[in-house]
Amino acid sequence: MSEREVLELLRENARYSTADIARMTDLEEDEVEAAIEELEATGVVCGYQAVVDWDKLEDERVRAEVELNVRLDRETGYDDISQRLARFPQVKALRLVSGDYDFDMEVEGDSIREVSQFISEKVAPVPEITQTVTHYVMTSYKENGIELGDGEDDERLSFSP
Amino acid sequence: MTFELSDRVQTVPPSGIRRFFEIAEERDDVISLGVGEPDFATPWAARDAAITSLEQGKTSYTANRGRRDLREAIADYVADRFDLGYDPDEEIIVTAGASEAVDLAFRAFVDPGDTVAIAQPSYISYEPGVIFAGGEVLPVPTYEEDDFRLTVEGLEEAGADEADMLVLCYPNNPTGAIMPAEDLEPIAEFAREHDLTVLSDEIYAELTYDGEHTSIASFEGMRERTIVFNGFSKAHAMTGLRLGYALGPADAIAAMNKIHQYTMLSAPTTAQYAALEALDSCENDVREMVSQYDRRRQFVLSRFREIGMDVFEAKGAFYCFPEVPEGFTAEEFAEEVLREQGVAVVPGDVFGAGGDGHLRISYATGLDDLREALARIEAFVDEHA
Ligand SMILES: Cc1ncc(COP(=O)(O)O)c(C=O)c1O
C-alpha cells in the first residue's frame, strides 16, 4: 500500500526528496527509501526523466508520431519487429496498439530531414513493414500528464474567509 | 449627505483580514497560505454541464427552493454519505452558497435578544450574521488541549444552557478539528436537554481525513432541532459558482424559503446544473482532491514540527493551526512574516475565542508553494524566535 503511494508521488514529481515523500505519506524516511529501492529493483520504476516543453527552447527538436502496419509470417511476430525497431535511439516510444494500424512509434531528431531519413532509410525498408504514416508534432499541449505552456496565475485573493 | 447607518451594521467591526490584505497587495512575491478556498478548478464534467446549460439557454430562475432534480440528487447524496434522510420537496433548500443558507437561518430563527452560542474559534461570518439578525452572540471557546473539540463542560462554563441556539462547524475552519461520533453524542444530549436549536455547518464534511464524518442531525431526537448546511464550494471546488444548501424539518425550511424567495428568488441556475453533474459524476474528482489535501496536510504538519512550532493535528478541512512562537502575538507574527518573508497567513484572533496565539495556515495551495512558504517561515522563526 505504501509502495503504491510512493509510486504515485514519484509519478507526480520524481524529484520530490525522500524527506518530502516521508512527510507526505507519514512514513519514515528509510521506509520510503526501501520502497523506492524495491520499485526500482522489481522494474516497476524503469527510469526517471524530465518532462520538457521543447517549444520553450531555442534549439529545434523535431518529433513525429509514426503509424506502422506490419505483415506477420510464421517466423516473425510482433515481438521480433518491435525488438528491431526499439533498438534505434531515435525511437522514443513504441507501442502495439489496436485499431487501424499495428504499432504507434514516437521518433525524435534534430531536424525534419533527419527524422524523414530515419523513417525512409531505416524503418520503411524493414521487410515486414507494409506501411508507414508519419505525423510531425507541431505543438505539444500536454506531456506525461503535465500541461505545458505558461502556468496560469493564481487569481484567488491572498486572504479569504 | 451621509447615510445614517443602522446600529446593527455599526456594531460589526470591519473584517480582521482586511488590513493584511492591503499589506499583501504591496508585494508581488507573496505566497498565500491565507486562502479559504480550493486551488483546484471545478471538476471538468461539472464545468462542462454549466457550459452546456448556458448553450441551451437555460438562464431563467428556477423553483425558489432549487431545481427538483438537484434537490433529489442532494437527498440521495446526503443519505448515501452521511446517513441523513431528507425529503427533497419539503426539507431541502438550495441557496447561493452555504453563506446564504446560514444567513437565512439566522434571520428565520433569531429574534432580537435571542442568544446564539457559537463554538469558537470558527468561521468568521456567524457572529456578524447573528448581529445583523438582531441576536446576541455567546462565544463558547474550545481549546487546543481538548483538540479544539467542543465539550459539555465548555458549553456549561460559557452558559450555553441558557442560549436559544448553538452553531457548530466541524470539520472546523480554522482549526481543522473534527468531532467524531463519540464526541458529538454528549453535545446532542446537551442540546436536547436545554432545548437548543442547532445550526451545523458541515461544508467541510468530505474533507475528513481520519474516519468518517458524522452529522449531529443523525443522532436520536436531533433531526427535529437541527439545520445542516453544506455546499459545493469546498469539496467540489466551486466557490465562485455560489451554490450551497440547507437541510432541516419542513417548517424550518419553509421559513427560510420565505426569506429566500423575496431576497434571492433562486440560487444561480448555471451553478445548479454544475452541481447536479458534480453529484452525478464527480465522485472520483473529489476523492482525488481529498487525497491531495491529505498529503499536503501531512507535509505541512510535519514541517511545522521540524521548524519547532507546536501544531495541532488537524484532521479535517484544509487548514492547520500552529501556535506562534513565544514573544509574538498572532497578529504580530502574521504581519512580520508577511512583510519580511512574503508569506500570508491569518492570525487566529479573527476567528474568535480560543484562536489567539495561533495562525491559520491553509494548505489549499500546490506543494511547491507550500514547500517554499514553509522554508520562509522557518527562516523567519530561526531569525526571530
Ligand atoms: C465553515 C464555512 N462555511 C461556509 C463557507 C462559505 O461557503 P459558500 O461558498 O458555500 O458560501 C465557508 C467558506 O470559507 C466556510 O469556511
Side-chain angles (χ1 to χ4, degrees):
Chain A
M1 192 56 216
S2 59
E3 231 172 49
R4 181 75 194 229
E5 241 187 314
V6 171
L7 183 61
E8 264 179 53
L9 286 165
L10 288 177
R11 285 199 65 195
E12 191 174 289
N13 183 349
R15 285 180 56 106
Y16 283 150
S17 64
T18 42
D20 280 358
I21 295 176
R23 291 182 187 113
M24 283 186 271
T25 51
D26 215 16
L27 296 168
E28 297 298 323
E29 258 188 84
D30 50 6
E31 291 174 309
V32 173
E33 261 162 44
I36 294 177
E37 264 171 37
E38 179 70 13
L39 286 164
E40 290 173 354
T42 50
V44 175
V45 170
C46 332
Y48 301 95
Q49 290 183 338
V51 178
V52 177
D53 187 349
W54 289 103
D55 295 347
K56 290 239 172 74
L57 223 65
E58 292 294 311
D59 300 355
E60 196 187 12
R61 191 74 190 156
V62 173
R63 296 194 303 152
E65 307 278 340
V66 187
E67 301 172 5
L68 299 178
N69 271 305
V70 299
R71 183 178 300 120
L72 302 180
D73 56 38
R74 225 165 265 148
E75 272 90 58
T76 341
Y78 288 124
D79 289 351
D80 303 301
I81 302 167
S82 74
Q83 272 178 21
R84 180 158 177 185
L85 293 171
R87 269 188 213 115
F88 289 111
Q90 292 92 332
V91 175
K92 298 299 170 193
L94 182 66
R95 307 178 184 102
L96 184 65
V97 294
S98 63
D100 289 344
Y101 50 94
D102 301 309
F103 285 101
D104 172 14
M105 182 169 81
E106 278 177 39
V107 178
E108 251 180 57
D110 287 336
S111 64
I112 293 200
R113 207 175 115 93
E114 188 192 312
V115 171
S116 305
Q117 253 177 8
F118 170 68
I119 291 162
S120 60
E121 289 172 14
K122 304 287 184 196
V123 179
V126 173
E128 293 81 10
I129 292 180
T130 57
Q131 193 191 27
T132 69
V133 178
T134 305
H135 306 272
Y136 284 100
V137 174
M138 298 195 289
T139 305
S140 182
Y141 299 103
K142 192 171 181 179
E143 293 284 345
N144 289 42
I146 296 178
E147 284 193 53
L148 307 180
D150 294 324
E152 277 164 48
D153 285 337
D154 187 349
E155 288 187 353
R156 298 176 300 165
L157 297 174
S158 46
F159 288 92
S160 65
Chain B
M1 117 170 212
T2 53
F3 282 94
E4 243 180 70
L5 304 181
S6 72
D7 291 344
R8 287 178 191 181
V9 166
Q10 282 180 333
T11 314
V12 174
S15 162
I17 298 179
R18 187 77 227 150
R19 190 167 62 87
F20 291 90
F21 184 68
E22 276 152 21
I23 304 171
E25 289 287 270
E26 292 163 16
R27 300 178 58 130
D28 58 6
D29 66 338
V30 171
I31 299 180
S32 182
L33 308 182
V35 281
E37 64 175 318
D39 57 322
F40 299 104
T42 308
W44 170 247
R47 278 184 277 159
D48 192 44
I51 293 166
T52 306
S53 76
L54 286 172
E55 282 172 347
Q56 292 174 341
K58 294 184 170 158
T59 51
S60 24
Y61 298 131
T62 67
N64 293 135
R65 288 162 185 244
R67 285 182 60 85
R68 159 86 210 198
D69 49 6
L70 176 58
R71 279 180 278 135
E72 258 171 47
I74 290 168
D76 290 345
Y77 164 78
V78 297
D80 184 45
R81 292 288 289 126
F82 312 120
D83 216 7
L84 296 173
Y86 287 94
D87 171 9
D89 286 324
E90 306 212 337
E91 299 181 320
I92 298 178
I93 182 168
V94 177
T95 53
S99 302
E100 194 219 345
V102 171
D103 180 52
L104 291 176
F106 288 138
R107 288 200 281 159
F109 311 128
V110 175
D111 273 321
D114 279 357
T115 304
V116 180
I118 303 177
Q120 292 183 346
S122 79
Y123 178 50
I124 59 178
S125 297
Y126 307 134
E127 194 159 330
V130 171
I131 295 169
F132 291 142
E136 272 161 38
V137 171
L138 177 75
V140 183
T142 64
Y143 302 100
E144 181 151 11
E145 54 266 33
D146 302 323
D147 289 342
F148 288 111
R149 282 181 276 200
L150 181 63
T151 60
V152 167
E153 299 82 75
L155 285 165
E156 278 166 353
E157 228 160 81
D161 46 345
E162 299 287 323
D164 300 289
M165 200 175 282
L166 171 65
V167 181
L168 304 176
C169 172
Y170 298 99
N172 181 266
N173 173 6
T175 62
I178 59 172
M179 290 279 281
E182 66 268 24
D183 296 328
L184 276 178
E185 176 87 69
I187 305 299
E189 197 179 317
F190 183 91
R192 287 191 303 261
E193 198 175 313
H194 300 285
D195 196 24
L196 298 179
T197 301
V198 176
L199 302 187
S200 184
D201 184 342
E202 301 177 21
I203 196 161
Y204 293 104
E206 287 278 3
L207 308 184
T208 301
Y209 308 107
D210 196 22
E212 290 281 301
H213 172 77
T214 305
S215 173
I216 194 161
S218 64
F219 289 90
E220 184 74 32
M222 288 308 291
R223 193 184 180 286
E224 43 273 55
R225 60 175 66 252
T226 305
I227 306 287
V228 175
F229 305 102
N230 206 327
F232 296 85
S233 284
K234 312 295 169 171
H236 296 92
M238 280 175 45
T239 45
L241 286 161
R242 311 303 309 125
L243 209 71
Y245 52 92
L247 314 166
D251 52 347
I253 294 297
M256 288 167 66
N257 188 43
K258 199 185 245 183
I259 304 170
H260 173 77
Q261 72 185 353
Y262 291 120
T263 52
M264 188 63 67
L265 281 77
S266 62
T269 300
T270 311
Q272 293 189 47
Y273 283 99
L276 188 56
E277 185 64 30
L279 291 179
D280 248 19
S281 74
C282 299
E283 206 183 315
N284 283 339
D285 302 76
V286 174
R287 224 177 285 149
E288 176 56 29
M289 291 188 277
V290 173
S291 86
Q292 294 274 359
Y293 288 134
D294 192 17
R295 279 182 197 140
R296 297 168 182 182
R297 174 182 73 104
Q298 303 198 57
F299 177 83
V300 169
L301 288 173
S302 135
R303 282 294 280 128
F304 272 116
R305 291 191 191 111
E306 287 167 357
I307 292 170
M309 285 169 72
D310 282 328
V311 60
F312 163 67
E313 174 98 32
K315 292 185 172 165
F318 38 56
Y319 309 105
C320 79
F321 210 56
E323 256 176 68
V324 293
E326 255 173 71
F328 287 97
T329 65
E331 290 249 341
E332 285 161 359
F333 189 97
E335 182 166 344
E336 291 305 306
V337 81
L338 178 55
R339 283 194 200 281
E340 284 185 29
Q341 295 285 347
V343 178
V345 300
V346 186
D349 313 63
V350 306
F351 301 99
D356 54 326
H358 289 81
L359 305 169
R360 187 189 75 176
I361 302 289
S362 159
Y363 48 86
T365 288
L367 198 77
D368 290 340
D369 276 349
L370 284 177
R371 191 194 290 110
E372 171 65 19
L374 282 149
R376 293 188 195 179
I377 291 174
E378 184 166 39
F380 181 83
V381 170
D382 284 349
E383 193 178 333
H384 297 283

